[in-house]
Amino acid sequence: MPNTLIFVDLPADDPAAAGRFYAEVFGWRDDHKPEGVYHRMVPGGMFPNPDGTDSQIGNLHVGIFDPANARPHPDAEGIAPREIAKEGRKPRIWVLISDDDTPERILSAAEERGATVLWRNHFWGTFNGLNHCFRDPWGNEILLWGKAGDPPRIPDDYTHE
């Protein structure tokens, strides 16, 4: 049996503000544990079966932690580094766009809250997805993934690879 991925954590020097950002942009529940130290973003729902019904698998959660003192850690003072990585590549988070939402709404909501849109309207044929990307106010890259369909329906203004 493989080991199971249960969380991915994003750094933010203000976890409470980041929790509000993701709650407002994606509609996720901001479950602070405790507020300002560690926030668990709960997307809710279950992964869908191929027929669209709920499976027995709950959606993954995203954690938000303060790099000044990343918890948990055996030392009450935490460990260095204590700042957000600003340069170079970092892990990226992929979010599937809900069938009742749009990339335009998500990108607009993110931008209104301080995010930077990195690209829009790109088709990646390898995984048959329509994608878009933004950088949140803390430097984390969030890629939006939309289903292109079978056969794929790619709008004329999309770039391709």
Side-chain angles (χ1 to χ4, degrees):
M1 183 170 175
N3 297 300
T4 303
L5 175 66
I6 58 170
F7 267 89
V8 173
D9 283 347
L10 299 174
D13 55 9
D14 187 345
R20 285 189 302 277
F21 175 90
Y22 284 100
E24 292 168 358
V25 170
F26 290 117
W28 296 344
R29 188 177 83 223
D30 179 6
D31 188 9
H32 42 84
K33 298 199 171 276
E35 185 163 357
V37 175
Y38 190 87
H39 287 241
R40 178 179 68 171
M41 303 312 299
V42 184
M46 307 299 270
F47 279 105
N49 289 312
D51 67 0
T53 61
D54 283 347
S55 73
Q56 296 298 310
I57 304 167
N59 283 318
L60 301 175
H61 297 166
V62 174
I64 301 173
F65 72 98
D66 186 347
N69 189 355
R71 308 311 312 154
H73 192 275
D75 182 344
E77 299 302 315
I79 189 169
R82 296 180 186 282
E83 63 279 335
I84 295 172
K86 298 285 187 192
E87 300 298 322
R89 286 284 172 207
K90 296 177 275 186
R92 302 181 304 171
I93 304 298
W94 294 79
V95 176
L96 179 64
I97 301 165
S98 173
D99 290 340
D100 64 352
D101 206 347
T102 66
E104 295 80 16
R105 192 221 47 92
I106 295 168
L107 292 171
S108 176
E111 210 167 22
E112 288 169 8
R113 290 161 177 81
T116 301
V117 174
L118 299 178
W119 77 79
R120 300 171 189 266
N121 304 347
H122 182 70
F123 173 70
W124 192 14
T126 301
F127 291 102
N128 192 29
L130 307 171
N131 56 82
H132 321 265
C133 184
F134 67 85
R135 182 178 300 120
D136 75 12
W138 301 273
N140 301 297
E141 289 185 16
I142 310 300
L143 287 96
L144 305 177
W145 191 264
K147 301 170 192 168
D150 185 23
R153 291 176 308 281
I154 308 161
D156 291 337
D157 64 334
Y158 274 55
T159 56
H160 298 76
E161 79 176 274

